């Protein structure tokens, strides 16, 4: 299986992937509408308070996303080092992966 990485050598977030299809139904991740909400700003440095607020909003967006389960499976497989994936920060994903292993 090939891992896809963007220009800064990290897994490609679902916000930039093509829509997923499950049993013929297209699941468009909610993060496509505001990718920086989940990955952080590209051109600026955010404070700890700004990052915490952004990540909280990203978690709320993930909560109702139709692609959340697929995003989680993808994130568990690619082991991202940054961003919010299926409502979890990367450290939370690592803890979850250890629990289910």
């Amino acid at each position: 299986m090939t891992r896809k990485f963007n220009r800064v050598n990290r897994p490609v977030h679902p916000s930039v992937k093509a829509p997923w299809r499950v049993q013929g139904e297209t699941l468009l991740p909610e993060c496509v509408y505001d990718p920086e909400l989940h990955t952080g700003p590209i051109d600026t440095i955010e404070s700890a308070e700004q990052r915490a607020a952004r990540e909280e909003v990203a978690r709320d967006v993930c909560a109702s996303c139709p692609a959340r389960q697929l995003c989680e499976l993808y994130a568990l497989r690619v082991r991202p080092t940054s961003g919010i994936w299926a409502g979890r920060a990367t450290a939370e994903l690592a803890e979850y992966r250890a629990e289910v292993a």
Side-chain angles (χ1 to χ4, degrees):
M1 184 172 302
T2 306
R3 288 187 184 179
K4 294 184 179 183
F5 292 89
N6 64 15
R7 61 189 160 153
V8 291
N9 200 31
R10 48 183 201 192
V12 176
H13 194 271
S15 62
V16 296
K17 292 178 67 69
W20 287 314
R21 295 183 72 69
V22 175
Q23 298 176 348
E25 182 180 345
T26 299
L27 301 178
L28 187 62
E30 295 291 333
C31 50
V32 299
Y33 302 108
D34 187 2
E36 286 189 9
L37 178 65
H38 293 78
T39 60
I42 295 171
D43 299 329
T44 60
I45 297 174
E46 60 188 354
S47 69
E49 294 82 16
Q50 290 169 325
R51 181 178 182 173
R54 176 185 54 77
E55 289 181 346
E56 188 60 35
V57 172
R59 292 173 199 276
D60 290 343
V61 169
C62 289
S64 63
C65 181
R68 183 176 181 168
Q69 186 176 20
L70 292 174
C71 179
E72 181 177 73
L73 292 172
Y74 176 75
L76 291 171
R77 189 181 72 222
V78 300
R79 299 178 182 209
T81 58
S82 63
I84 298 295
W85 300 72
R88 292 187 170 121
T90 53
E92 295 166 329
L93 283 169
E95 289 173 12
Y96 178 69
R97 190 172 34 253
E99 289 174 10
V100 296

